[in-house]
Amino acid sequence: MPRLFRYLTWLFAGMLALVAVAWWLSRPAAPDAFYVPPADRPAGPGALLRQEAFLHGVPADARAWRILYTTTRSDGTAAVASAIVMASREARSERRPVIAWTHGTTGVVPGCAPSLLEDPFANVPALQQLIENGWVYVATDYVGLGTVGPHPYLIGEGEARSALDSIRALRQMEGIRVGDDAVVWGHSQGGHAALWTGIVAPDYAPDMNILGVAAIAPASDLPTLINAIQATPVGRIMSAFVLRSYAAAYPDVEFDELRSRVEVVAGKRYLWPLPGGTRSAVLRGRGPAGRR
């Protein structure tokens, strides 16, 4: 019996150690000093603060940079975001068209930016074709994934402003010349962001010529989507991300009040516009953490 007890004790300790190692390895990378903005940054959105060469995961026939730039949150307050810019190494005299990529869910805290991930171009379709056609790729990290948060997860106008201001900052870069035309392209959360970029652009960025939007599997009908996936681990994680984001952005959403029962989230126009001018929606769940 004592031998069995010792065996179980060591087994339990080993399992705890494995869990601790897995947790440690899964933590997001700590953003480096590049993501800390200068104290004397410009007041307006879309100003390029810094750029530096980016090498991680870049195809051999392309060159890339990471950039830091000013933007605004959905309520108009000043913020800073980061992005990756990439273009073909082939010399071109003409100005290049722009593809603004808006990425899918990678997390909601600093360290989750694609520019900090092991594979910064994961889930970007047709990347090689983009390079071969001479288009310039600019991929916002959004606010709060490399820079200080909160991150506007599925808050459409907050995501869209980060995307539009990344294009403005790109235009100010040294060593690359781009034209006035741009297309916005995104997947999942980024599909949601791409749609909102098209909606917001005429008022927020009338200086841009957005030719079109391509939204791949966009998170567009959020009440239906979140209700449909509540019984899955991914659904619970996504719900937590939404609540965290909305609680940070809107004073009438209390995360502590809702974390044990996903009941009411203020449906601002930044999340989903509803028929008949309705601006609210209900996400219903039962039991702890929205469990059905």
Side-chain angles (χ1 to χ4, degrees), residues 181-285:
D181 296 339
V183 170
V184 186
W185 187 25
H187 172 249
S188 191
Q189 177 195 357
H192 175 270
L195 292 173
W196 274 99
T197 302
I199 293 169
V200 168
D203 292 330
Y204 184 75
D207 53 309
M208 293 187 194
N209 184 28
I210 304 296
L211 297 178
V213 170
I216 307 169
S220 54
D221 184 358
L222 292 183
T224 300
L225 172 63
I226 293 178
N227 281 332
I229 62 176
Q230 272 301 295
T232 69
V234 170
R236 295 193 181 102
I237 291 170
M238 185 175 175
S239 297
F241 285 179
V242 170
L243 288 178
R244 179 189 176 103
S245 171
Y246 273 60
Y250 307 120
D252 51 343
V253 179
E254 295 289 342
F255 184 86
D256 289 340
E257 178 184 340
L258 297 175
R259 63 183 175 181
S260 62
R261 53 184 182 90
V262 181
E263 189 171 298
V264 178
V265 172
K268 312 292 185 180
R269 80 186 270 270
Y270 313 122
L271 181 56
W272 57 77
L274 298 179
T278 304
R279 295 298 184 188
S280 63
V282 176
L283 303 179
R284 294 184 177 87

Side-chain angles (χ1 to χ4, degrees), residues 41-45 70-72 78:
R41 63 182 180 269
T70 60
T71 186
T72 56

